[in-house]
Amino acid sequence: MAKRGAVTRFAPSPTGLLHLGHAHSALFAHALAGEGGRFLLRIEDIDRGRCRPEFQAAIHEDLAWLGLRWEAGVRRQSEHMADYARALDALDGMGLVYPCFCTRAEIRAEIVRSGAAPHGPDGPLYPGTCRGLADAAARVAAGESHALRLDMGRAVARAGPLAWHDRGRGRVAARPEIFGDAVLARKDTPTSYHLAVTVDDAIQGVSLVTRGADLFQATHVHRLLQALLGLGVPEYRHHRLLADDKGQRLAKRHDSLAIRRLRERGYTADEVRAMAGIG
Ligand code: GLU
């Protein structure tokens, strides 16, 4: 029987020009949608300080120039804050969320003071300073700036053992605790990468999440949020990351490898597709 197509997505942040690494990621997601599948584009623009409309326009142009077509109805995260707020409310109703008033400097100082600094994928783990604060509600009511964190211990206890299927690695047991009390809503934005992506993939019916291997660890947290929120569980496939000739992973600073710059220098779309490792 023919394998049915998947629903995949490419989800860039409009904080700079797309480079060859993005081209690889977009082409990879598009290819894995397969025959009869659907390929979606999502703009991850929750970081208001860094996202720019001109980069968003460039994403559309550069992807179209590469020959990609995506389904109508591009989802822009900045337009869906109500969806993330609903998810946060649900987690809060389970007693799994707490406000964190700490500044970065305070967190650093607390880590030094405690002498123990377990590291997670995003750096040293939050030491839990604000977990269980007696005056938390009063400080929130008084308008004190705060982030919202997941009480990881309680969340993991509630969800029990979890796993996901990764097309590259097979069954992966979820270990969300490696992130500690992850941020669900930032001080400056009422959501976070982990929460927004998990909610969006479910709402958009993404059946196969493809993204770079640098985000492999994030899936541990996403799997936990899916279980807590009763969301469907997609399959995953994490792809290799492109590097420059010195072995450095491609990043925004590699302006010369931006799709737009290559195009300006006369490369054809076919050539750029080949350079991105998917001919
Ligand atoms: N927006 C993320 C990025 O640009 C990708 C999100 C995801 O695929 O989960 O790296």
Side-chain angles (χ1 to χ4, degrees), residues 130-208:
C130 289
R131 198 190 310 124
L133 281 186
D135 60 350
R139 289 171 71 176
V140 170
E144 195 173 332
S145 162
H146 61 278
L148 294 174
R149 289 184 181 272
L150 183 67
D151 184 330
M152 186 58 83
R154 294 180 76 152
V156 166
R158 183 180 175 115
L162 299 168
W164 77 83
H165 182 255
D166 189 292
R167 285 200 184 175
R169 304 194 191 196
R171 183 181 182 279
V172 182
R175 292 185 300 120
E177 58 280 359
I178 59 174
F179 280 86
D181 289 356
V183 171
L184 296 178
R186 292 164 18 180
K187 281 185 176 172
D188 57 350
T189 308
T191 184
S192 67
Y193 161 68
H194 295 307
L195 184 69
V197 161
T198 307
V199 168
D200 286 345
D201 284 333
I203 287 179
Q204 294 191 283
V206 173
S207 65
L208 173 60

Side-chain angles (χ1 to χ4, degrees), residues 241-251 253-254 256-257:
L241 301 174
L242 297 198
D244 65 13
D245 46 12
K246 294 187 195 69
Q248 295 278 313
R249 195 213 295 172
L250 296 192
R253 66 177 182 282
H254 289 88
S256 63
L257 297 179

Side-chain angles (χ1 to χ4, degrees), residues 203-221:
I203 287 179
Q204 294 191 283
V206 173
S207 65
L208 173 60
V209 172
T210 64
R211 59 186 171 209
D214 55 332
L215 288 169
F216 176 80
Q217 309 276 21
T219 308
H220 291 291
V221 178

Side-chain angles (χ1 to χ4, degrees), residues 26-73:
L27 293 163
F28 188 88
H30 183 263
L32 265 67
E35 199 136 333
R38 295 163 54 208
F39 172 62
L40 314 178
L41 174 63
R42 182 165 77 224
I43 301 294
E44 305 219 320
D45 59 350
I46 57 171
D47 194 337
R48 291 191 194 122
R50 293 173 59 225
C51 294
R52 302 264 179 280
E54 59 271 27
F55 291 135
Q56 196 171 304
I59 287 171
H60 286 245
E61 265 177 55
D62 292 346
L63 293 179
W65 179 77
L66 276 176
L68 287 170
R69 299 292 173 262
W70 52 93
E71 213 170 82

